[in-house]
Structure formats: structure tokens, C-alpha cells
Amino acid sequence: MRTFIFLPPVSKPTGGVTVLRRIADILHQAGHEAYLVAREKGSWRPDGLADAAPVLEWEALKLTGSDAWVVPEGWINALAPGLYASAQCFSYVQNWAYLFSSMPDGVDWHSLPVEFLAVSDPVSRFIKETTCKDAPILRPGIDLSVFRMPDAKPGGRVRVAYMPRKNKALVEQIKAIHQHRCGGSQVDWVPIDGMDANGVAETLRASHIFLVTGFPEGCPLPPLEAMACGCLPVGFTGFGGWDYMRQIQAAPRHTPWIPLREVPWGGNGLWCADSDVLDAALCLDDAVRMFQDKDPALVAALAAGQKTANAYSLEAQRTAVLDLWEQL
């Protein structure tokens, strides 16, 4: 079985596209015949990688009924070549919010011979509830050789890393609430913007807290990368984050309505409902206080974060991909 993975027309390596590239590389390096398929010549594609999966131009794609055609959610029209060739078609849902975003009039998931792959347990549950179809879970991984603990965190004021592009207006509200509460708390705000992976990792290693403001999310990687770098994450879950996010037991707050899978780690962050800027600011206050007071619960939370990040290694992703393709 040959595998072809659709590479959306993006100009820079987004997290979702990087996950697609890694799946193709894992299959290729394991001896499977696997290809990335670029929709446009200007699409971002991997380069400079050792033993990377080959990239085909869209015009060169010729599928057969014995091939697998994998397309990320939100690009439903890209399924057409696979459907026309009667290939085994998969929609890999990396963000539940886009599952129905590009559905043409008169078409629904019930009428298409397409199976689903889900990036996380919450996304799989979302697919099951909305389409009545099962979706095997294929989780992403993070590079623990890049995202790793520092020898020591900096002294002085607590440093709060955040991503301005993730719901920028809500970020500003959270910062304003935190700064105005009872005269404000003295922290250093550290924006993560326009950096490569090494720059992000270096910033996280030099920070104490990571403010999570992204939603919706399928299986958000930045909080995992922050945990790997020894940060305490605080903020929104994006729904998909509940695949691994667990509340610190000493400070129970928001809990999801979906049942959570069993995991071998404990509370790894202070989590609030998406868009709840007040609770996010209150969580941030508590997190800052934990560092300032050297709260014993902080040690357990950071250890749980390390255990969480280790479960999402590239090695774990590789095993999951190869196991799933063996079943296919």
C-alpha cells in the first residue's frame, strides 16, 4: 500500500503541516512507500532533512484503488483524487473546529467513503458524537532534544512566556487584569513570536510560566513544549488539550464535561475554560504565587509536566504511526 499525504498550500511550516511531514517521514524511513503531495508550487515543504519522504507536485499525483490518501480536515475538496480513484481515503482531523468548515452544499460525511483519524482523544470523541464514526487516534510528538529542561531557571522576577498571535485581544485582557489586581504583580512578560523551534525552546527554558491562550485546538503542542522546558502552563485548553491537560489537585478549577482518559501523570497546569479571561488571570496569579512562595505543590506539578511531555516524544509518535499503518 502506497501512502500519499496532502500538503496544504501554506507559506511557512505550521504545527499541523509539520505533523503531516513527520508522519510521511516516519513511514518513508521505515520502508513504506510514502509521499507528500504539494497542492501549489509555492507551498512550504521540507528541505535539508536526512532521508525525508519525497514530495510530489499535485499534477503528478496518480492514485489507485490500493493506495491510501490522507488529507487534513478543512481541505475536503482535496479528497477528490482519492475518491475518484477509489483509494482508501482518510481525513486526519488535527483541529475539531474545522471538521465541517469546507463542506460543499449537498455533501456530508455520511455520504462520503472517507474514514477519520483523530489527533487526540477529545477530537476522536467530537468526531464520534457528530458523525457517528470511529476515529483511531494518532497523536503528534515533540522533539525532546530541542525542548528540554535547563540546568536552572533564572532568578529574580517570575517570567511569563506567551504567544501574542494566539487570540491577541484576550491576551491583552488577561495581562491587564493581572496587572490591575490589587496593584498588580511584578512579572516579566516574554513574547514568543517569529522564532524558530530553537528560539522558542530557549525562551521557554528562560521562563517560569507559559500562558496558554490558543483555542480551538486539537492537541496543542506549545503547552507540551513548555512543560518539557520546565514551565508551569496556565490558561485555555482548546478542548483538545484535555488529551493530556490535568488540573493541579491543590487548586481545582474548571473541569471538562467529557470523561478524561486515564493517564500516568497528575496535575500539570492551572486550566480554565476557553475565553474565560478572568479565570485565566486568577490562574496566572496563583501560578506566580507558587513560584514566589516556593510552593511544594509546584515541584509535583513540574514533575507531572515532564512526565506528560515525555509521553509525547517523537519516538512515541513513530511507534503510533507504524502500529496504525500495520493495522491498515
Side-chain angles (χ1 to χ4, degrees):
M1 181 182 72
R2 299 184 302 171
T3 299
F4 296 83
I5 300 176
F6 177 66
L7 193 63
V10 296
S11 59
K12 59 182 180 179
T14 63
V17 171
T18 299
V19 171
L20 296 174
R21 187 213 76 192
R22 283 180 174 159
I23 292 173
D25 289 351
I26 288 168
L27 292 171
H28 171 73
Q29 292 163 8
H32 292 266
E33 192 172 355
Y35 305 87
L36 290 164
V37 181
R39 182 64 183 89
E40 297 177 0
K41 292 184 184 298
S43 299
W44 175 84
R45 64 195 63 200
D47 56 15
L49 295 170
D51 197 21
V55 180
L56 295 180
E57 301 295 343
W58 181 261
E59 294 78 10
L61 176 64
K62 297 187 185 303
L63 294 168
T64 71
S66 60
D67 295 330
W69 178 227
V70 182
V71 176
E73 91 298 319
W75 297 92
I76 190 169
N77 287 338
L79 287 165
L83 296 173
Y84 181 78
S86 297
Q88 193 171 6
C89 296
F90 296 92
S91 176
Y92 183 31
V93 185
Q94 293 180 277
N95 196 325
W96 56 271
Y98 304 135
L99 181 59
F100 304 101
S101 64
S102 61
M103 191 73 70
D105 292 340
V107 177
D108 60 43
W109 287 117
H110 299 298
S111 62
L112 294 175
V114 176
E115 300 301 319
F116 292 109
L117 301 175
V119 76
S120 67
D121 184 67
V123 171
S124 182
R125 290 177 182 273
F126 182 89
I127 293 170
K128 182 68 173 180
E129 293 291 342
T130 57
T131 71
C132 300
K133 290 188 175 184
D134 294 324
I137 299 168
L138 190 58
R139 294 182 174 88
I142 61 172
D143 190 342
L144 296 177
S145 69
V146 175
F147 298 96
R148 61 186 187 279
M149 281 282 286
D151 293 333
K153 289 289 183 177
R157 300 202 302 184
V158 175
R159 294 167 57 88
V160 181
Y162 68 100
M163 293 182 167
R165 65 182 179 85
K166 294 280 190 176
N167 295 309
K168 183 176 181 180
L170 299 187
V171 173
E172 294 305 315
Q173 283 186 294
I174 295 168
K175 290 173 65 177
I177 293 170
H178 176 76
Q179 290 165 349
H180 282 79
R181 272 178 49 79
C182 303
S185 175
Q186 295 299 310
V187 301
D188 290 331
W189 296 95
V190 185
I192 296 176
D193 194 23
M195 302 177 185
D196 63 11
N198 288 307
V200 173
E202 184 177 344
T203 301
L204 289 171
R205 282 194 293 272
S207 301
H208 303 89
I209 294 170
F210 178 62
L211 178 62
V212 187
T213 57
F215 72 87
E217 299 279 2
C219 188
L221 296 181
L224 285 169
E225 294 165 349
M227 291 180 193
C229 293
C231 293
L232 179 66
V234 171
F236 307 147
T237 70
F239 183 68
W242 287 118
D243 194 67
Y244 62 84
M245 294 174 179
R246 297 295 183 268
Q247 290 282 18
I248 294 175
Q249 295 302 311
R253 293 181 181 274
H254 170 65
T255 55
W257 63 268
I258 60 170
L260 300 181
R261 68 187 180 106
E262 292 291 328
V263 292
W265 53 84
N268 52 22
L270 293 169
W271 310 109
C272 59
D274 296 343
S275 195
D276 189 342
V277 293
L278 177 55
D279 196 23
L282 295 176
C283 285
L284 181 58
D285 285 358
D286 284 350
V288 171
R289 202 172 301 116
M290 290 175 75
F291 277 95
Q292 292 175 334
D293 296 345
K294 296 180 173 54
D295 191 326
L298 180 62
V299 176
L302 295 177
Q306 286 289 298
K307 197 168 187 178
T308 307
N310 288 339
Y312 288 77
S313 67
L314 296 184
E315 291 74 17
Q317 182 187 21
R318 174 183 172 81
T319 299
V321 169
L322 296 179
D323 285 350
L324 179 58
W325 253 253
E326 190 67 30
Q327 295 173 31
L328 297 181

